[in-house]
Amino acid sequence: MPSNKPTFAELLADCTRSAIHLEMRDQYAVDEEVEAFTAWRNGFRHDPDDRASWWRPWLDLMQATTARGVVVRRARIVSEPVSEYIRYEHSGTFTNIAAGEQVRWLPRRHASDIALPGNDYWLFDDRVIRWNHFTGDGASAGQEISDDPAAAKLCMEAFETVWARAIPHDEYKIR
């Protein structure tokens, strides 16, 4: 049965100004990351000079989106000392930046007074939300699309507050 829910690529294609992503978990166990995380745990690191070895469809999508003038920002709220998974994410974030994303990190202790939504999300042009649901152990529990104006406003305001306090990727030192 066909779904009338837009794909992530369709949401980005319809986006004209901004796509923001807030991540609030200290560990994710989504299928496409498990193998890469295991390799990282075993010592594998991407070589920044060997772009062909780490460039992937996700980065093509981000580069095409930013090339159209859409500003893509990602903020991560993290506990410190950071989890092993966050160390893994941090070590590979240079790939996101190479594709045109802007990335910042906010230590969780600096987010205590921010009204945050209950789930990670993407917000497109301050109006369409893609909620990312996860199980307790970090596996994907699906996505949900919303265009509720009050929820979009909460997401936008929360993100902007996090962004203002967060540390740019190249300045954030893992603790």
Side-chain angles (χ1 to χ4, degrees), residues 129-163:
I129 308 160
R130 180 182 179 216
W131 298 109
N132 294 320
H133 301 293
F134 296 95
T135 64
D137 62 1
S140 176
Q143 295 81 36
E144 177 184 359
I145 306 297
S146 171
D147 62 0
D148 175 63
K153 182 177 188 245
L154 170 66
C155 289
M156 187 265 306
E157 289 174 352
F159 186 89
E160 293 303 335
T161 302
V162 168
W163 190 258

Coordinates of all heavy atoms in Angstrom, one line a residue, residues 129-163:
I129 N 7.5 19.5 10.6 CA 8.3 18.8 11.5 C 8.3 17.3 11.1 O 7.3 16.7 10.8 CB 7.8 18.9 13.0 CG1 7.5 20.3 13.4 CG2 8.7 18.1 13.9 CD1 6.6 20.4 14.6
R130 N 9.5 16.7 11.2 CA 9.6 15.3 11.1 C 10.2 14.8 12.4 O 11.3 15.0 12.7 CB 10.6 14.9 10.0 CG 10.7 13.3 9.9 CD 11.7 12.9 8.8 NE 11.8 11.5 8.8 CZ 12.9 10.9 8.5 NH1 14.0 11.5 8.3 NH2 13.0 9.5 8.5
W131 N 9.3 14.3 13.2 CA 9.7 13.8 14.5 C 10.4 12.4 14.3 O 9.9 11.6 13.5 CB 8.4 13.5 15.4 CG 7.6 14.7 15.7 CD1 6.4 15.0 15.3 CD2 8.0 15.8 16.6 NE1 5.9 16.2 15.8 CE2 6.9 16.7 16.6 CE3 9.1 16.0 17.4 CZ2 6.9 17.8 17.4 CZ3 9.1 17.2 18.2 CH2 8.0 18.1 18.2
N132 N 11.5 12.2 15.0 CA 12.2 10.9 15.0 C 11.9 10.2 16.3 O 12.4 10.8 17.4 CB 13.7 11.1 14.7 CG 13.9 11.7 13.4 OD1 13.3 11.3 12.4 ND2 14.9 12.6 13.3
H133 N 11.3 9.1 16.3 CA 11.0 8.4 17.5 C 12.0 7.2 17.7 O 12.4 6.6 16.7 CB 9.6 7.8 17.5 CG 8.5 8.8 17.3 ND1 8.3 9.8 18.3 CD2 7.7 9.1 16.3 CE1 7.3 10.6 17.9 NE2 6.9 10.2 16.7
F134 N 12.4 7.0 18.9 CA 13.4 5.9 19.2 C 12.9 5.1 20.4 O 12.2 5.6 21.3 CB 14.8 6.6 19.6 CG 15.4 7.3 18.4 CD1 15.2 8.7 18.3 CD2 16.1 6.6 17.4 CE1 15.7 9.4 17.2 CE2 16.6 7.3 16.4 CZ 16.4 8.7 16.3
T135 N 13.4 3.8 20.4 CA 13.2 3.0 21.5 C 14.1 3.3 22.6 O 15.1 4.2 22.4 CB 13.4 1.5 21.1 OG1 14.8 1.3 20.8 CG2 12.5 1.1 20.0
G136 N 14.0 2.7 23.8 CA 14.8 3.0 24.9 C 16.3 2.7 24.7 O 17.2 3.4 25.2
D137 N 16.6 1.8 23.8 CA 18.0 1.4 23.5 C 18.5 2.1 22.2 O 19.6 1.9 21.8 CB 18.2 -0.1 23.4 CG 17.4 -0.7 22.3 OD1 16.7 0.0 21.6 OD2 17.5 -2.0 22.2
G138 N 17.7 3.1 21.7 CA 18.2 3.9 20.6 C 17.8 3.4 19.2 O 18.2 4.1 18.2
A139 N 17.1 2.3 19.1 CA 16.7 1.9 17.7 C 15.5 2.8 17.2 O 14.8 3.3 18.0 CB 16.2 0.4 17.8
S140 N 15.4 2.9 15.9 CA 14.4 3.7 15.4 C 13.0 3.1 15.7 O 12.8 1.9 15.6 CB 14.5 3.8 13.9 OG 13.4 4.5 13.3
A141 N 12.1 3.9 16.1 CA 10.7 3.5 16.3 C 9.8 4.2 15.3 O 8.6 4.4 15.6 CB 10.3 3.8 17.8
G142 N 10.4 4.8 14.3 CA 9.6 5.4 13.2 C 9.6 6.9 13.2 O 10.2 7.5 14.1
Q143 N 9.0 7.5 12.2 CA 8.9 8.9 12.1 C 7.5 9.3 12.0 O 6.6 8.5 11.7 CB 9.7 9.4 10.9 CG 11.1 9.2 10.9 CD 11.5 7.8 10.5 OE1 10.9 7.2 9.6 NE2 12.5 7.2 11.1
E144 N 7.3 10.6 12.3 CA 5.9 11.2 12.2 C 6.1 12.6 11.6 O 7.0 13.3 12.0 CB 5.4 11.2 13.6 CG 4.0 11.9 13.8 CD 3.6 11.9 15.2 OE1 4.3 11.5 16.2 OE2 2.5 12.5 15.5
I145 N 5.2 13.0 10.7 CA 5.2 14.3 10.1 C 4.1 15.1 10.7 O 3.0 14.6 10.9 CB 5.0 14.2 8.6 CG1 6.0 13.2 7.9 CG2 5.0 15.6 7.9 CD1 7.4 13.6 8.0
S146 N 4.4 16.4 11.0 CA 3.4 17.3 11.6 C 3.6 18.7 11.0 O 4.7 19.1 10.8 CB 3.6 17.4 13.1 OG 2.8 18.4 13.7
D147 N 2.5 19.4 10.8 CA 2.6 20.8 10.4 C 1.8 21.6 11.4 O 1.4 22.7 11.1 CB 2.0 21.0 9.0 CG 0.6 20.6 8.8 OD1 -0.1 20.1 9.8 OD2 0.1 20.8 7.7
D148 N 1.7 21.1 12.7 CA 1.0 21.8 13.7 C 1.8 23.1 14.0 O 3.0 23.1 14.4 CB 1.0 21.0 15.0 CG 0.4 21.7 16.2 OD1 -0.8 22.2 16.1 OD2 1.1 21.9 17.2
P149 N 1.2 24.3 13.9 CA 2.0 25.6 14.1 C 2.5 25.7 15.5 O 3.6 26.2 15.6 CB 0.9 26.6 13.8 CG -0.1 26.0 13.0 CD -0.1 24.5 13.4
A150 N 1.8 25.3 16.5 CA 2.3 25.4 17.9 C 3.6 24.5 18.1 O 4.5 25.0 18.7 CB 1.2 25.1 18.9
A151 N 3.5 23.3 17.6 CA 4.7 22.4 17.7 C 5.9 23.0 16.9 O 7.0 22.9 17.4 CB 4.3 21.0 17.3
A152 N 5.6 23.5 15.7 CA 6.7 24.1 14.9 C 7.3 25.2 15.6 O 8.5 25.4 15.6 CB 6.1 24.5 13.5
K153 N 6.5 26.1 16.3 CA 7.0 27.2 17.0 C 7.9 26.7 18.2 O 9.0 27.3 18.4 CB 5.9 28.1 17.5 CG 6.3 29.3 18.2 CD 5.1 30.2 18.7 CE 5.6 31.5 19.2 NZ 5.3 31.7 20.6
L154 N 7.4 25.7 18.9 CA 8.2 25.2 20.0 C 9.6 24.7 19.5 O 10.6 25.0 20.1 CB 7.5 24.0 20.7 CG 8.3 23.2 21.7 CD1 8.7 24.1 22.9 CD2 7.5 22.0 22.1
C155 N 9.5 23.9 18.4 CA 10.8 23.4 17.8 C 11.7 24.5 17.4 O 12.9 24.4 17.6 CB 10.4 22.4 16.6 SG 9.7 20.9 17.1
M156 N 11.2 25.5 16.7 CA 12.0 26.6 16.2 C 12.7 27.3 17.4 O 13.9 27.6 17.4 CB 11.2 27.5 15.3 CG 12.0 28.6 14.6 SD 12.0 30.2 15.5 CE 10.3 30.5 15.7
E157 N 11.8 27.7 18.4 CA 12.4 28.4 19.5 C 13.4 27.6 20.3 O 14.4 28.1 20.7 CB 11.2 28.9 20.4 CG 10.4 30.0 19.7 CD 9.1 30.4 20.5 OE1 8.8 29.7 21.5 OE2 8.5 31.4 20.1
A158 N 13.1 26.3 20.5 CA 14.0 25.5 21.3 C 15.3 25.4 20.5 O 16.4 25.5 21.1 CB 13.4 24.1 21.5
F159 N 15.3 25.2 19.2 CA 16.5 25.0 18.4 C 17.3 26.3 18.5 O 18.5 26.3 18.7 CB 16.2 24.7 17.0 CG 17.4 24.4 16.2 CD1 18.0 23.1 16.1 CD2 18.1 25.4 15.5 CE1 19.1 22.9 15.4 CE2 19.3 25.2 14.8 CZ 19.8 23.9 14.8
E160 N 16.7 27.4 18.3 CA 17.4 28.7 18.3 C 18.1 29.0 19.6 O 19.2 29.5 19.6 CB 16.5 29.9 17.8 CG 16.0 29.8 16.4 CD 17.2 29.7 15.4 OE1 18.3 30.2 15.6 OE2 16.9 29.2 14.3
T161 N 17.4 28.6 20.7 CA 18.0 28.8 22.0 C 19.2 27.8 22.2 O 20.3 28.2 22.6 CB 17.0 28.5 23.1 OG1 15.9 29.4 23.0 CG2 17.6 28.7 24.5
V162 N 19.1 26.6 21.7 CA 20.2 25.6 21.8 C 21.3 26.1 20.9 O 22.5 26.2 21.3 CB 19.7 24.2 21.3 CG1 20.9 23.3 21.1 CG2 18.8 23.6 22.4
W163 N 21.0 26.6 19.7 CA 22.0 27.0 18.8 C 22.8 28.2 19.3 O 24.1 28.2 19.2 CB 21.4 27.4 17.4 CG 22.4 27.6 16.3 CD1 22.8 28.8 15.9 CD2 23.0 26.6 15.6 NE1 23.7 28.6 14.8 CE2 23.9 27.3 14.6 CE3 23.0 25.2 15.6 CZ2 24.7 26.6 13.7 CZ3 23.8 24.6 14.7 CH2 24.6 25.3 13.8

